[in-house]
Amino acid sequence: MGAGHRLWRAPLVVLWVLLGMLLTALLQLLPDRWREPPRQGITRLWMRGLLSLLPLRIRYHGQPTPDTALWVGNHVSWLDIILLGARAPVRFVAKAEVRQWPLLGWLAERAGTVFIHRGQASGASLNQRLGKVMQQGHNLMVFAEGTTTAGDRVRTFHGRLFGCAIEQRLPIQPVALAYRRCEQRDSIAPFIDDDEFSRHLWRLLGASPIDVDVSFLPLIDSHARGRNELARRAHRAVTQALGLADNSSDCQSADSLRAVA
């Protein structure tokens, strides 16, 4: 059955990626001031098209705020980027190494990802860089665990990554993502440990449909709250939505950990 699925999915995905690359090249011909509005629309349409080619049954719960916000959620797979980017205009924060990954780096860059190097995930310089993106009216998505999980838990949310929302006086939009099969946690969607992107995509293309729930949770006001308190509140909201154990007390020590979203 897996081979039969790949027989039609793989060529269509390749063609869709090539189309996206062509559209990107055409956009580069436009002056900078005219490039951004069509880039956002084309990126969202392209991501929606890609999702239609993948074995995913997607259910969105709730609505993202129409105003600018810092989105914060758990991280399971590279698919998270496509699912969120297809729903609403949003940019992402990721470690610089992602830019070099085959296809995935290209996808992340097309989504307007802000790439940061290790050692830059703290301090005023990072807040200024992320704040500049949000000042331009862009939502910003931070995977505050700093890594992916198998979907069986939500790691500590690193409080330092909430600083830009505090400085810009913008709300936090918690987001919970879950991949399931027959009401159980799915084992194919997670992109973890030393997994390699092409192998992961190959497995995904041969899979039967995966149920995906993307939940946009009530906003958290950042006014007069510290980074760690916001991290605990967001972590609690996400874990409760996923029905998982809450270890948000661990966020007390978040600023002592090295993290890159």
Side-chain angles (χ1 to χ4, degrees):
M1 185 65 71
H5 288 153
R6 294 188 186 101
L7 189 62
W8 65 269
R9 284 175 182 158
L12 289 177
V13 167
V14 170
L15 289 174
W16 194 248
V17 169
L18 292 175
L19 175 61
M21 296 176 70
L22 175 61
L23 292 173
T24 299
L26 293 175
L27 281 175
Q28 293 301 117
L29 300 177
L30 296 175
D32 290 345
R33 64 181 182 277
W34 294 347
R35 190 181 303 158
E36 186 60 22
R39 187 196 69 81
Q40 290 185 4
I42 289 173
T43 297
R44 287 182 66 193
L45 288 173
W46 184 87
M47 288 183 171
R48 290 176 181 178
L50 179 60
L51 289 176
S52 71
L53 301 176
L54 299 177
L56 304 175
R57 289 192 294 243
I58 307 164
R59 294 174 294 192
Y60 289 100
H61 308 277
Q63 295 290 335
T65 176
D67 301 318
T68 305
L70 178 68
W71 294 16
V72 181
N74 62 308
H75 198 10
V76 179
S77 174
W78 59 271
L79 293 166
D80 302 344
I81 295 174
I82 311 301
L83 290 161
L84 295 174
R87 186 61 171 175
V90 61
R91 294 193 175 188
F92 299 84
V93 179
K95 57 187 178 182
E97 294 95 313
V98 172
R99 180 184 277 161
Q100 308 304 321
W101 292 357
L103 182 58
L104 183 57
W106 181 82
L107 291 173
E109 192 166 13
R110 296 289 74 74
T113 296
V114 179
F115 295 103
I116 57 177
H117 294 275
R118 292 191 181 276
Q120 294 181 340
S122 62
S125 60
L126 177 64
N127 285 339
Q128 291 173 358
R129 191 174 171 200
L130 301 184
K132 184 177 180 180
V133 174
M134 301 178 78
Q135 285 173 0
Q136 297 171 349
H138 299 296
N139 293 315
L140 192 63
M141 176 69 198
V142 171
F143 296 111
E145 296 165 285
T147 187
T148 55
T149 72
D152 56 343
R153 56 177 169 159
V154 181
R155 292 177 179 267
T156 297
F157 279 7
H158 299 288
R160 62 167 62 93
L161 297 170
F162 291 72
C164 59
I166 296 173
E167 291 186 4
Q168 300 300 320
R169 296 180 177 270
L170 293 172
I172 308 298
Q173 172 76 78
V175 184
L177 299 107
Y179 299 82
R180 299 185 177 96
R181 186 188 303 274
C182 300
E183 302 302 322
Q184 301 295 318
R185 178 174 56 86
D186 177 67
S187 61
I188 294 179
F191 185 67
I192 55 176
D193 299 328
D194 296 325
D195 207 350
E196 197 272 326
F197 177 71
S198 60
R199 290 198 301 267
H200 185 271
L201 178 60
W202 189 248
R203 291 197 304 272
L204 181 66
L205 292 177
S208 57
I210 301 168
D211 294 313
V212 186
D213 289 285
V214 182
S215 300
F216 291 93
L217 307 172
L219 294 178
I220 300 173
D221 186 0
S222 67
H223 180 64
R225 291 196 171 101
R227 298 180 301 181
N228 285 341
E229 180 183 357
L230 291 174
R232 289 192 297 272
R233 286 174 176 261
H235 187 278
R236 187 176 302 116
V238 170
T239 53
Q240 288 178 351
L242 296 173
L244 298 173
D246 176 23
N247 64 338
S248 57
S249 59
D250 294 343
C251 296
Q252 295 274 8
S253 59
D255 283 339
S256 66
L257 300 174
R258 298 173 59 189
V260 176

